[in-house]
Amino acid sequence: MFSHVFFIVVLFVLSLLLGACSTLPDNAPSLYWPKPPAKPRLIYELTLRNQSSLNPELAEDRMREFATGLSSKGDRILLKPYDVAAHGGLVAVSDSLLSTVHIFDVPRKKLFQIGWRGKGKLKKPLGLAVDTSQNIYVTDAVLGYVVKFDPRGHFLGTIGHKDDFSRISDVAVDDITGQIYVLDRGGVESLQHQIVVYSANGERLKVIGKRGHGDGEFNHPNQLAVNKQGELYVLDAGNFRVQVFDVDGKFLRSWGRLGKQLGNLARPRGVAIDNNGKVYITDAAYQNFQIFTPEGQLLLNVGTGGGRDLPGSYMLPAGIATDETGRIYVVDQVRRKIEIFRLLSAE
């Protein structure tokens, strides 16, 4: 009885406070970037954590959480999310500690896991890709190759062999040619800092790069992305740059450098490219993600570190992805969440 009365009183007080304020306070969380008075170009939409993330919340639940700090969502299911990939409303999230891939089927408001049993059983899933047919490609650091699933999680086969890689990290698929790019991040003593290229049917075609600091060489690269023209972008993390290659593996250009200013790279973790060619890079040192032109000009930075767990607040940003609708998906490993943003304009 007491708790019921207390809750009614809290709602009444909140309604008075909210009614008395026609504008948000200065410390309210921003849902748009950049902040006013600049023209907004990006809006926050949703955070994925569990099944409840896919279902509309009741106003009563939101008010209770605001008033008491207690959530009605239940425990978060993500233990250590690493990477994300999305297409057609299907959002795949690798979880390196749970040894599974979480599938958020947004249109059907369903959540399920794949790769936790059977022939496609995973051990330490890392990088992800989803093709236009919603097939899911998973790199596994322990298995040492790529595991392929259909949209419902049925095992389709493997790509590559453990002997092909020193330290497998990420995968990307060219939807035009069907080529599959698999990233070998290499180790301290290894020279295999490279990309191994496979055909759509899994035939090994060639290797791009080796360890080094020159054009077409890599130092602990960690993520891949392919644009609509079939150009391959490699986040060459140890060299603090992005390198771009054509469909034949020929070096085209590079940009980026180590620094403390916006537009520099300090601890880059993930890379993605949208339909308009914009490049998105998460950085664990800056605790944000930055948006660049294809040539490396900074357009916008989104997010801050520390503080409360609010939209755009990160502790350890990792994987990042875009989909065909212009949405951006960002992983925070420490806060165990995937935030979804949408571009408001193509400019």
Side-chain angles (χ1 to χ4, degrees):
M1 179 67 180
F2 174 79
S3 61
H4 179 69
V5 172
F6 171 77
F7 184 62
I8 292 175
V9 171
V10 169
L11 289 179
F12 177 73
V13 171
L14 284 173
S15 66
L16 292 178
L17 291 174
L18 294 174
C21 300
S22 58
T23 59
L24 290 172
D26 292 338
N27 63 350
S30 174
L31 301 181
Y32 295 89
W33 286 266
K35 294 182 179 180
K39 179 182 177 181
R41 298 162 66 183
L42 194 75
I43 182 173
Y44 163 82
E45 283 194 337
L46 181 67
T47 296
L48 298 177
R49 301 183 196 270
N50 52 21
Q51 177 65 55
S52 299
S53 305
L54 299 172
N55 299 319
E57 292 179 306
L58 297 174
E60 178 181 323
D61 293 333
R62 292 199 300 270
M63 197 67 78
R64 180 186 294 110
E65 184 172 350
F66 181 84
T68 67
L70 301 175
S71 174
S72 60
K73 296 178 181 178
D75 294 335
R76 301 173 181 178
I77 66 161
L78 304 179
L79 190 56
K80 191 176 181 180
Y82 181 88
D83 199 13
V84 60
H87 188 84
L90 184 151
V91 183
V93 181
S94 60
D95 195 318
S96 59
L97 282 186
L98 285 180
S99 301
T100 190
V101 174
H102 306 281
I103 305 297
F104 292 87
D105 189 334
V106 178
R108 295 178 176 84
K109 298 182 180 179
K110 300 291 185 182
L111 171 63
F112 59 97
Q113 287 73 41
I114 67 173
W116 59 277
R117 64 178 179 178
K119 292 184 65 176
K121 183 175 174 59
L122 302 169
K123 293 188 177 181
K124 190 176 181 180
L126 296 179
L128 293 173
V130 177
D131 65 23
T132 53
S133 299
Q134 294 186 314
N135 295 314
I136 304 153
Y137 303 76
V138 187
T139 59
D140 192 294
V142 173
L143 296 176
Y145 48 76
V146 177
V147 185
K148 183 178 179 181
F149 301 91
D150 74 7
R152 293 291 168 256
H154 300 119
F155 173 73
L156 295 179
T158 64
I159 299 157
H161 188 274
K162 191 169 186 176
D163 294 339
D164 293 344
F165 310 102
S166 172
R167 189 181 175 192
I168 195 170
S169 175
D170 195 26
V171 59
V173 179
D174 184 344
D175 291 321
I176 299 174
T177 66
Q179 287 189 162
I180 302 162
Y181 299 94
V182 184
L183 182 62
D184 190 349
R185 187 176 184 181
V188 175
E189 304 297 331
S190 172
L191 295 178
Q192 289 182 223
H193 297 222
Q194 60 192 19
I195 294 98
V196 185
V197 187
Y198 299 87
S199 67
N201 62 12
E203 177 188 0
R204 178 170 168 159
L205 301 176
K206 58 191 169 188
V207 172
I208 301 173
K210 63 179 181 179
R211 190 170 193 180
H213 306 286
D215 293 345
E217 297 177 340
F218 309 109
N219 185 29
H220 296 289
N222 57 2
Q223 284 270 301
L224 302 171
V226 179
N227 69 11
K228 291 300 179 182
Q229 290 71 46
E231 294 176 339
L232 174 67
Y233 282 65
V234 183
L235 186 56
D236 188 7
N239 286 322
F240 307 98
R241 65 184 178 181
V242 172
Q243 295 198 66
V244 187
F245 300 82
D246 68 14
V247 69
D248 296 317
K250 179 183 177 182
F251 171 83
L252 296 176
R253 62 186 179 275
S254 69
W255 49 265
R257 64 177 183 175
L258 174 64
K260 298 181 179 179
Q261 305 299 319
L262 292 175
N264 296 151
L265 303 178
R267 194 182 168 195
R269 299 285 308 280
V271 62
I273 306 171
D274 69 17
N275 289 339
N276 297 304
K278 294 185 180 65
V279 183
Y280 301 76
I281 297 179
T282 56
D283 199 299
Y286 300 141
Q287 296 178 298
N288 70 359
F289 67 93
Q290 301 185 92
I291 308 175
F292 299 88
T293 67
E295 293 74 31
Q297 178 185 353
L298 179 66
L299 298 174
L300 182 65
N301 66 90
V302 179
T304 57
R308 296 173 58 196
D309 186 359
L310 298 171
S313 176
Y314 305 114
M315 295 293 288
L316 188 59
I320 189 167
T322 62
D323 69 9
E324 74 285 359
T325 69
R327 287 174 170 82
I328 303 104
Y329 304 79
V330 184
V331 174
D332 188 326
Q333 287 188 288
V334 172
R335 287 183 163 151
R336 295 181 291 169
K337 65 180 179 178
I338 294 85
E339 289 190 343
I340 305 177
F341 299 84
R342 177 170 51 85
L343 284 174
L344 295 174
S345 80
E347 298 177 1

